[in-house]
Amino acid sequence: MALRLVADFDLRKDVLPWLRAQRAASAAPGAEGDRDVLETNYESLRVLNVERNGNIIYNYKDDERNIVFGLYDCQTRKNQHLYTFEKDLQVVSCSVNREKTLLAASLVKSTEEGRRNELQPGSKCLTLLVEIHPVNNVKVLKAVDSYIWVQFLYLHVESHPLPQNQLLLISEEKYIEQFHIQVTQEDGNRVVIKNSDHLPRHRIAEDFVWTQWDMTEQRLYYIDLEKSRSILKCLQFYADQSCDLMVNQEKLCKYLTLCVFTNHTGSLCVCYSPKFDSWEQITYSVFYFHKGYSKTFTAALGSAGSHGTQGITFLNLERYVAVYLPGHFFHLLNIQHPDLICHSLFLTENNKTNDMLPHSSFQSLSGSLVLDWYSGRLYRAFLDQSYLLRFLWNTSLDCEKMAILHCVLSCGQDPQFLEGQIIQWISENVSACHSFDLIQEFIIASSYWSIYAKTSNVDTILPYSSVLTWNTEIPGITLVTEEIELPLMKVHSFKGYWEKLNSNLDYVKYAKPYLCYNNSVVKREWHNLISEEVCMRQGEQKPRLTLLLQEEDNHQKLLLGLMVSELREHLLRHLQGVEKKKIEQMVLDYVSKLLDLICHLVETCWRRHDLQSSVLHFNRPRSAAEFEVFHIMTRILEATNSLFLPLPPGFHTLHTILGVHCLPLHNLLDYIDNGVLLLTETAVTRLIKDLDNSEKNEKLKFSILVRLPPLIGQKICRVWDHPMSSNIISRTHVTQLLQNYKKQSRNSMMDKSSFSVEFLPLNYFIEILTDLESSSQALCDFEGHDNVDAQFIQEAALKHTTMLLDL
């Protein structure tokens, strides 16, 4: 299944063996008849609370129906007894302080059925504070008919052995109080509550309608009713007793299921679902407060007759929120990039996924922790990468391919392995997507996620997707998006999470137009370049990359330098406060990743089709495998050209060599003339050397030569021993030699014995060239044109004339 639950704690495995060992050690010799009683007692074993440090509090009833509290230390993985109430009571709530010296608990009398009976007249809920290290006194904090939830605050204070303890009490009578408990140490290790007769306290809130506790971040969310509106508030507890207040106004109290989720990137999501009106379709909504809009999803149920007993469950998976209804659907909502629906994954019962999901009542704790109250298991939830990769190979929907691609790249534990698997899939399914370019999306997304963790706000300044809009419907899902009022934060200190949330809100409010980097800037600058020297200077800091061929590709080197320069300026402009050296390294890493991904794509296709190095030579027959690789390289070129991305050195050479192998001459020339194939000196040199001078090959060579830039053409002609090549060299040489020639009246003093052919026009022309070549300046100007002189011109002209006359 897409969701994988790994048990961090299991009552039956982590607690029961210890309890049995304790019971066996204390039992009288030969007392074997207690086994059935023992098993019956431990049926009452259940988890009560999970504290910030990961410690788990549980309880059970012993033979006399006394309530026994125990604690499982997640660090040492050992159990310890906390306290025993020698009464038949039922625990409503409990919490232990960091030092394990104080226990707070709310208890009620047990009914015969073993359930709490809050409606029974005169039934009291006792909220007690107990000194447990060692066991000393018990103080009654509350004795009321309403239920009380208790929670010690775990503030980040490591310097004090006995800090002031803070205890929250949340009452069903809709008020929240905070107790301040001072302790002192007497007689060695004896911990005593100071001034226990009068514990300072104050009310935090009144008339709330809903609360949620975030144990890891020590935040309390609650909803107040004010006039006709409900206001969601958040209290952040710090060691200095300061409280941060975050307020936003929405009508939320009417919803049956309501969850608030945050993560370290500064996201804030409120998920809720109303009571089901029917089993034909189910609606739920998500407020993306960090983005400034909400989305309401309506899911059609696959089989209306299959009704579940549980409602919708929301689970926090950091960058995703999982929404599932057992037996019907499982949705993964992308909360980091929720703007396009195709970035979220919607699985229905037709995927045969949901039957494998637990039907238990889960509670999502902080991060990816999930508590199953019924079984007493604490899970850490992960997205199953193996399942997602298999699903990627089997799905036919573009929206699911897009969603899985981002999901695997953003949540993967082994990025290189996962990228390799995705590249393998792309190489076999390069034309499988119609709604977006698969290669483009992979390159942009993978490059983005490779540097995502290096700085905050990178999602606002670097593109994470090649897709700007998505209009294709997703089967079984309808979606309504609405703008919402941004949160109003009254925060004493913008630090940590609040700083990032504030940055996200500022981006929503002020970032118009969007700040995301666009390579069109590079394209514009590229066309404005005046000289090659400027580009060479910008490309001096060349990123590390894998070379396809050991070749210097100046064209790509210049483009690469431009992108590095423009991207560096973009990040320096928008990442205020980040070191310049760190930004420069980010740029190099990002561009290197782009090139490495392209290399990896080509190399994977090369290995998949088992091509050998002999393919780099032209004097061999073509194969179907070469055509497949040529097709994929063409698709890569199309994808990078539209994004104006640089290519690794050697790409164009390899692409051209395969093109010559695979294409008829007229198609090959069309590809060259339309810019699909870029002729490189390396590729053309190999073509000239490898192919003989048959009539067909001569036509190919000449067609290529006339399409080369002049400087490269002159160099290539020198390696082709052919009259046509000599003719081109001669024409170029004569053009340069005569460009400043001024005709002068002169008497011919030509020595006819020096010419082998009686052809006066040619002889006269050669005489002029000989005179020009005799000047030292001319020899200096044409230094490097070895073996090209008047005699060479004469011989080339005669050979060419002979060839034209077919003599």
Side-chain angles (χ1 to χ4, degrees):
M1 60 181 177
L3 187 66
R4 183 164 59 93
L5 299 176
V6 177
D8 271 10
F9 169 81
D10 187 340
L11 275 175
R12 298 291 165 182
K13 295 180 179 179
D14 296 315
V15 176
L16 261 184
W18 178 77
L19 292 177
R20 288 170 176 160
Q22 294 289 313
R23 180 63 179 267
S26 62
E32 298 180 358
D34 289 341
R35 181 178 299 273
D36 293 339
V37 176
L38 179 67
E39 295 300 328
T40 302
N41 289 341
Y42 291 153
E43 286 180 0
S44 63
L45 183 64
R46 67 187 182 100
V47 172
L48 295 175
N49 197 4
V50 181
E51 302 290 3
R52 182 180 195 172
N53 56 12
N55 291 345
I56 299 167
I57 308 173
Y58 54 86
N59 82 303
Y60 64 95
K61 292 188 177 182
D62 64 12
D63 297 344
E64 286 76 31
R65 304 291 293 172
N66 298 323
I67 294 294
V68 181
F69 289 86
L71 181 140
Y72 176 81
D73 191 313
C74 68
Q75 299 298 324
T76 63
R77 306 194 74 83
K78 293 181 179 179
N79 292 275
Q80 70 180 81
H81 173 263
L82 289 179
Y83 192 76
T84 300
F85 281 104
E86 295 181 352
K87 291 184 179 181
D88 187 3
L89 300 172
Q90 180 175 335
V91 182
V92 175
S93 171
C94 79
S95 180
V96 67
N97 66 347
R98 185 197 297 268
E99 296 78 23
K100 305 176 191 174
T101 58
L102 299 178
L103 175 71
S106 290
L107 307 103
V108 294
K109 292 181 179 179
S110 296
T111 62
E112 293 181 0
E113 294 82 7
R115 299 191 303 269
R116 68 184 191 180
N117 186 2
E118 59 266 37
L119 299 179
Q120 181 178 343
S123 64
K124 296 287 186 181
C125 176
L126 288 176
T127 303
L128 306 177
L129 182 61
V130 185
E131 299 168 349
I132 60 172
H133 186 69
V135 175
N136 295 316
N137 301 317
V138 176
K139 176 175 176 55
V140 177
L141 297 180
K142 293 282 184 179
V144 293
D145 291 337
S146 60
Y147 277 59
I148 301 289
W149 178 83
V150 293
Q151 178 62 57
F152 276 104
L153 300 182
Y154 277 54
L155 305 176
H156 283 302
V157 178
E158 302 295 342
S159 58
H160 310 299
L162 292 171
Q164 185 184 71
N165 290 269
Q166 306 294 323
L167 178 66
L168 292 181
L169 268 65
I170 301 178
S171 171
E172 281 187 334
E173 293 182 350
K174 311 306 181 188
Y175 65 85
I176 304 171
E177 288 185 336
Q178 182 176 1
F179 281 77
H180 310 277
I181 306 166
Q182 291 280 0
V183 295
T184 59
Q185 198 165 355
E186 299 178 352
D187 301 330
N189 294 327
R190 178 182 170 89
V191 177
V192 178
I193 299 173
K194 187 177 180 179
N195 298 327
S196 60
D197 293 336
H198 178 71
L199 296 178
R201 60 179 175 175
H202 71 281
R203 289 217 168 177
I204 294 176
E206 290 185 295
D207 298 327
F208 70 88
V209 294
W210 170 91
T211 61
Q212 177 183 310
W213 173 247
D214 184 334
M215 67 171 188
T216 301
E217 302 300 334
Q218 299 288 281
R219 298 191 195 119
L220 180 66
Y221 300 95
Y222 62 98
I223 294 178
D224 270 351
L225 286 179
E226 292 186 8
K227 297 181 180 179
S228 61
R229 296 184 300 182
S230 57
I231 301 178
L232 175 64
K233 297 183 179 180
C234 173
L235 292 178
Q236 170 82 64
F237 296 97
Y238 288 126
D240 58 4
Q241 302 304 305
S242 65
C243 293
D244 293 344
L245 182 63
M246 183 273 298
V247 181
N248 49 70
Q249 301 171 358
E250 288 297 335
K251 296 181 179 179
L252 297 172
C253 61
K254 63 180 181 180
Y255 296 103
L256 183 66
T257 302
L258 181 64
C259 298
V260 179
F261 295 138
T262 63
N263 72 15
H264 66 281
T265 65
S267 68
L268 174 62
C269 290
V270 177
C271 309
Y272 56 85
S273 66
K275 186 177 181 180
F276 300 162
D277 294 328
S278 71
W279 280 95
E280 296 180 359
Q281 61 182 25
I282 290 180
T283 298
Y284 64 90
S285 299
V286 180
F287 276 24
Y288 302 95
F289 282 107
H290 57 295
K291 296 292 185 180
Y293 52 78
S294 67
K295 291 180 180 290
T296 298
F297 302 88
T298 300
L301 299 185
S303 53
S306 177
H307 298 170
T309 57
Q310 302 293 336
I312 285 181
T313 297
F314 297 103
L315 299 179
N316 185 9
L317 302 178
E318 289 292 332
R319 295 191 181 104
Y320 287 83
V321 167
V323 187
Y324 77 91
L325 183 66
H328 291 280
F329 63 75
F330 178 84
H331 298 169
L332 276 176
L333 304 183
N334 190 326
I335 61 174
Q336 200 66 30
H337 303 296
D339 46 341
L340 298 182
I341 191 173
C342 59
H343 291 152
S344 298
L345 182 62
F346 302 89
L347 303 177
T348 66
E349 63 177 350
N350 297 327
N351 300 111
K352 297 181 180 179
T353 301
N354 299 286
D355 290 339
M356 301 178 67
L357 290 171
H359 288 227
S360 303
S361 178
F362 279 168
Q363 179 184 352
S364 182
L365 304 179
S366 298
S368 58
L369 288 177
V370 178
L371 180 60
D372 183 346
W373 292 105
Y374 179 78
S375 67
R377 294 189 181 96
L378 182 68
Y379 296 100
R380 197 166 295 276
F382 298 96
L383 294 175
D384 192 327
Q385 304 297 328
S386 298
Y387 171 86
L388 292 174
L389 287 173
R390 290 194 302 272
F391 192 77
L392 183 63
W393 282 87
N394 297 325
T395 183
S396 60
L397 297 178
D398 283 4
C399 58
E400 292 181 341
K401 295 170 188 173
M402 170 77 83
I404 296 173
L405 182 66
H406 280 270
C407 189
V408 170
L409 291 173
S410 64
C411 300
Q413 302 298 317
D414 187 352
Q416 290 186 342
F417 169 77
L418 295 171
E419 282 179 358
Q421 295 295 306
I422 294 174
I423 287 174
Q424 184 67 35
W425 172 72
I426 291 176
S427 69
E428 299 184 27
N429 299 272
V430 68
S431 301
C433 294
H434 306 287
S435 305
F436 65 99
D437 188 306
L438 186 56
I439 295 174
Q440 278 188 354
E441 191 65 19
F442 171 67
I443 292 175
I444 294 297
S446 187
S447 300
Y448 167 83
W449 287 112
S450 69
I451 67 167
Y452 173 81
K454 296 183 180 180
T455 184
S456 59
N457 299 331
V458 71
D459 54 332
T460 62
I461 57 178
L462 282 180
Y464 54 86
S465 175
S466 64
V467 177
L468 300 178
T469 59
W470 186 274
N471 299 319
T472 307
E473 292 185 359
I474 294 181
I477 296 292
T478 57
L479 173 64
V480 176
T481 302
E482 297 178 306
E483 289 188 5
I484 60 175
E485 185 178 350
L486 294 178
L488 171 63
M489 294 200 298
K490 299 178 180 178
V491 180
H492 298 156
S493 174
F494 284 104
K495 60 183 180 181
Y497 167 80
W498 302 107
E499 181 180 10
K500 294 178 181 178
L501 175 59
N502 187 60
S503 177
N504 287 334
L505 297 179
D506 284 345
Y507 176 77
V508 174
K509 288 186 285 188
Y510 304 120
K512 294 180 181 180
Y514 291 131
L515 303 178
C516 263
Y517 175 79
N518 192 323
N519 232 31
S520 61
V521 178
V522 175
K523 185 175 183 179
R524 185 168 59 249
E525 290 298 321
W526 172 263
H527 292 305
N528 291 337
L529 282 175
I530 299 174
S531 67
E532 185 174 305
E533 183 180 356
V534 176
C535 294
M536 291 293 290
R537 192 162 56 247
Q538 290 173 332
E540 288 176 355
Q541 286 186 314
K542 185 171 70 173
R544 65 181 186 278
L545 48 88
T546 304
L547 296 177
L548 291 173
L549 297 169
Q550 295 299 322
E551 173 187 348
E552 281 290 329
D553 191 334
N554 288 330
H555 183 275
Q556 294 304 311
K557 185 178 179 181
L558 304 182
L559 181 57
L560 177 63
L562 256 184
M563 182 174 180
V564 168
S565 177
E566 293 294 337
L567 184 56
R568 183 196 302 119
E569 292 302 315
H570 175 80
L571 296 186
L572 286 172
R573 189 162 53 249
H574 297 296
L575 285 181
Q576 301 294 330
V578 181
E579 293 181 3
K580 182 178 179 181
K581 185 177 181 180
K582 182 178 180 181
I583 289 180
E584 289 178 346
Q585 188 60 50
M586 284 178 58
V587 171
L588 296 180
D589 290 344
Y590 182 81
V591 178
S592 296
K593 186 66 175 182
L594 286 172
L595 298 176
D596 289 341
L597 290 170
I598 296 170
C599 287
H600 199 171
L601 278 165
V602 176
E603 291 165 356
T604 298
C605 297
W606 189 279
R607 289 193 300 269
R608 174 172 171 257
H609 294 283
D610 197 26
L611 292 187
Q612 306 300 322
S613 59
S614 59
V615 74
L616 299 176
H617 301 284
F618 291 95
N619 54 353
R620 56 182 303 279
R622 67 181 179 183
S623 65
E626 292 172 15
F627 188 83
E628 289 294 326
V629 175
F630 174 74
H631 172 67
I632 291 177
M633 291 189 71
T634 303
R635 292 296 302 272
I636 293 173
L637 188 65
E638 292 172 353
T640 54
N641 277 349
S642 62
L643 296 174
F644 214 72
L645 298 177
L647 289 164
F651 183 93
H652 286 294
T653 293
L654 182 57
H655 192 216
T656 299
I657 291 173
L658 291 174
V660 173
H661 277 313
C662 300
L663 299 175
L665 180 59
H666 65 281
N667 292 121
L668 176 68
L669 299 180
D670 282 342
Y671 272 53
I672 295 173
D673 294 338
N674 290 295
V676 179
L677 289 176
L678 183 64
L679 297 175
T680 65
E681 183 178 343
T682 304
V684 178
T685 300
R686 291 195 179 204
L687 182 145
I688 296 298
K689 289 183 175 180
D690 283 2
L691 295 180
D692 58 25
N693 289 330
S694 65
E695 182 178 353
K696 179 181 178 182
N697 289 341
E698 282 185 350
K699 185 176 181 181
L700 169 62
K701 290 180 180 181
F702 182 71
S703 300
I704 296 293
L705 285 174
V706 297
R707 285 169 167 81
L708 290 174
L711 291 177
I712 297 179
Q714 293 172 32
K715 294 177 65 176
I716 297 299
C717 285
R718 298 178 188 284
V719 301
W720 186 20
D721 185 16
H722 188 271
M724 185 62 69
S725 177
S726 299
N727 180 44
I728 294 173
I729 295 172
S730 300
R731 287 174 182 272
T732 302
H733 182 80
V734 168
T735 299
Q736 294 179 341
L737 201 61
L738 295 179
Q739 61 184 355
N740 296 320
Y741 172 70
K742 294 182 180 180
K743 185 177 180 180
Q744 299 177 355
S745 58
R746 51 184 289 177
N747 295 323
S748 177
M749 301 292 294
M750 184 170 48
D751 181 6
K752 294 184 179 180
S753 62
S754 63
F755 300 97
S756 59
V757 179
E758 289 290 340
F759 185 31
L760 293 180
L762 178 60
N763 292 345
Y764 181 74
F765 180 62
I766 296 302
E767 180 187 7
I768 294 174
L769 295 181
T770 303
D771 288 344
L772 288 173
E773 289 174 351
S774 64
S775 69
S776 59
Q777 183 62 40
L779 290 175
C780 181
D781 290 343
F782 299 107
E783 186 177 356
H785 287 232
D786 50 321
N787 300 324
V788 181
D789 54 16
Q791 184 178 356
F792 179 89
I793 302 298
Q794 182 186 32
E795 293 174 356
L798 292 174
K799 287 181 181 179
H800 187 60
T801 302
T802 302
M803 184 180 68
L804 289 177
L805 296 176
D806 198 18
L807 297 177

